[in-house]
Amino acid sequence: MGSALKPLVAVVMGSDSDRPTMSETERMLEKLGVPYVTRISSAHRAPKKTQALAESLEEDGIEVVVVGAGLAAHLAGAIASVTTLPVIGVPMEGGSLRGLDALYSIVQMPSGVPVATMSIGKHGAKNAAIMAAEILALKDPDLKSRLRTFKDELEQSVDEKDRAIAAEFEATAKAVKGLAEEGSG
Ligand code: RP5
């Protein structure tokens, strides 16, 4: 359980081997103050468990589902086929195809059963949490303001990096100028 509050997001993954990636989702949900619960199931290895889990989500008060899976990743689609909750899919990086297999499996859903598909790996896992928070923030002004703060911090971090690199360039330019002056003098 991600917090003592009633979870609003279910983070479901196909295996514990997905956890190092999906912990990015968990961490970002924590940062944004979104209560979540994490579960493991498998569309292929445990189809009955997956069906039961998908059926129980709404009853359990879950409002958004984030699903991470790798290889022929059908877990997000299997869950989306059962629930009317929004399902966000995260393709795991790795395997012989480095996550392209999971990306195509998750994104290429037939009409009627959408899965909002993120990018492969940790970037996608982080974005899945932000996307889930953005959905929940439609009816939660406090969460919306935390998301605003997060976006403002993102912008500031780019400025900080730019200032740091500008200072580095200024120092290099000064050193080069000094050398050039020494050479001509
Ligand atoms: C998928 O198979 C899981 O989501 C995982 O990414 C992949 C490999 O699972 P393990 O063999 O590591 O359990 O279903």
Side-chain angles (χ1 to χ4, degrees), residues 13-18 41-45 68-75 92-93:
M13 58 195 90
S15 172
D16 56 354
S17 63
D18 300 329
S41 194
S42 168
H44 304 123
R45 293 168 176 161
L71 305 178
H74 295 130
L75 185 58
M92 294 301 106
E93 191 165 5

Side-chain angles (χ1 to χ4, degrees), residues 144-160:
K144 200 174 218 9
S145 117
R146 292 198 291 280
L147 276 164
R148 187 70 266 158
T149 304
F150 168 72
K151 295 250 179 193
D152 291 346
E153 284 169 3
L154 264 190
E155 197 174 350
Q156 280 163 22
S157 77
V158 174
D159 266 348
E160 277 159 26

Side-chain angles (χ1 to χ4, degrees), residues 6 25 29 32 38 43 47 61 67 69 73 78-79 86 96 105-106 116 126-127 146 153 157 173-174 182:
K6 222 167 141 337
T25 305
L29 289 171
L32 293 169
T38 299
V67 184
I79 292 175
S96 322
S105 302
I106 296 175
K126 209 182 244 189
N127 277 345
R146 292 198 291 280
E153 284 169 3
S157 77
K174 257 190 206 151
E182 259 175 46

Side-chain angles (χ1 to χ4, degrees), residues 41-126:
S41 194
S42 168
H44 304 123
R45 293 168 176 161
K48 290 196 274 278
K49 179 185 170 73
T50 298
Q51 166 100 16
L53 173 65
E55 281 170 355
S56 69
L57 292 167
E58 266 186 86
E59 242 170 65
D60 292 347
I62 298 298
E63 297 187 7
V64 184
V65 194
V66 175
V67 184
L71 305 178
H74 295 130
L75 185 58
I79 292 175
S81 72
V82 172
T83 184
T84 58
L85 294 173
V87 175
I88 302 170
V90 184
M92 294 301 106
E93 191 165 5
S96 322
L97 302 181
R98 307 188 63 190
L100 265 187
D101 41 5
L103 173 66
Y104 289 158
S105 302
I106 296 175
V107 80
Q108 283 295 87
M109 290 299 292
S111 67
V113 191
V115 172
T117 307
M118 302 291 108
S119 47
I120 297 170
K122 289 189 174 183
H123 287 272
K126 209 182 244 189

